[in-house]
Amino acid sequence: MLYLLLGANLGDRMATLRRAVDLIGAHVGAVVQASGLYETAPWGVTDQPAFLNQVLAVETTLAPEAVLTQAQAIEQALGRIRHEKWGARVIDIDILYYGDQIIQSEILTVPHPFLHERRFTLVPLAEIAPNFVHPILQKTTIDLLATCTDTGDVMALPVAG
């Protein structure tokens, strides 16, 4: 299973995430599960607007590098311009896990190297994959969340009804 983290903190964040989910379904693979939406404090560069984050579980036949290429194309199609690392952005799509693969290349590191340090990643991931085991750290998502030292705010948005 491919797990992706979506994040947006500029423009109409909710509409951007919805569009990203649609594009991922069309170009990467079937979205089989989606976490709720979480409003989260910025991480890394903290002087910027709050993010909306969501984690997706996706069934894909694409190779990991092809997933990265498609994710970057979707980001660009939605208006992402890369200014600074961890800065404000219209959309960000990160590959968290590609099954239990460990990938270390010039363009891609999987599992995501900061996954276990970020509550804004672990909280939505724990919603849909609480028992998924990190292939390097050999801990479940729930265990990673329990030991995460990040204190950033992660608040679930109410489900529209």
Side-chain angles (χ1 to χ4, degrees):
M1 187 65 58
L2 169 68
Y3 290 96
L4 301 175
L5 172 70
L6 309 183
N9 75 336
L10 296 176
D12 185 340
R13 303 172 304 167
M14 200 168 294
T16 300
L17 290 184
R18 275 194 217 107
R19 185 73 181 122
V21 171
D22 290 344
L23 290 170
I24 288 164
H27 299 285
V28 177
V31 177
V32 295
Q33 207 168 8
S35 75
L37 296 175
Y38 292 83
E39 187 158 63
T40 65
W43 189 93
V45 176
T46 57
D47 184 23
Q48 59 179 315
F51 278 83
L52 277 188
N53 289 110
Q54 183 175 40
V55 170
L56 306 177
V58 179
E59 286 183 353
T60 187
T61 58
L62 298 179
E65 292 79 9
V67 171
L68 178 64
T69 298
Q70 287 299 321
Q72 290 173 338
I74 291 166
E75 289 176 340
Q76 190 170 12
L78 293 174
R80 168 124 189 221
I81 300 169
R82 295 178 185 270
H83 291 294
E84 66 174 317
K85 186 173 182 148
W86 298 328
R89 62 207 82 146
V90 170
I91 186 68
D92 187 33
I93 303 170
D94 287 339
I95 300 171
L96 301 178
Y97 293 120
Y98 190 98
D100 61 0
Q101 290 190 37
I102 298 169
I103 303 162
Q104 195 85 31
S105 73
E106 286 185 25
I107 62 165
L108 183 60
T109 301
V110 175
H112 191 285
F114 297 110
L115 180 154
H116 62 289
E117 298 177 15
R118 298 171 164 175
R119 279 180 42 78
F120 70 84
T121 301
L122 291 170
V123 171
L125 183 60
E127 181 187 327
I128 65 169
N131 298 313
F132 190 89
V133 176
H134 191 293
I136 296 171
L137 301 176
Q138 292 301 303
K139 293 183 178 181
T140 65
T141 305
I142 289 295
D143 292 336
L144 292 173
L145 181 56
T147 59
C148 182
T149 59
D150 178 16
T151 59
D153 288 338
V154 178
M155 295 179 300
L157 292 186
V159 177

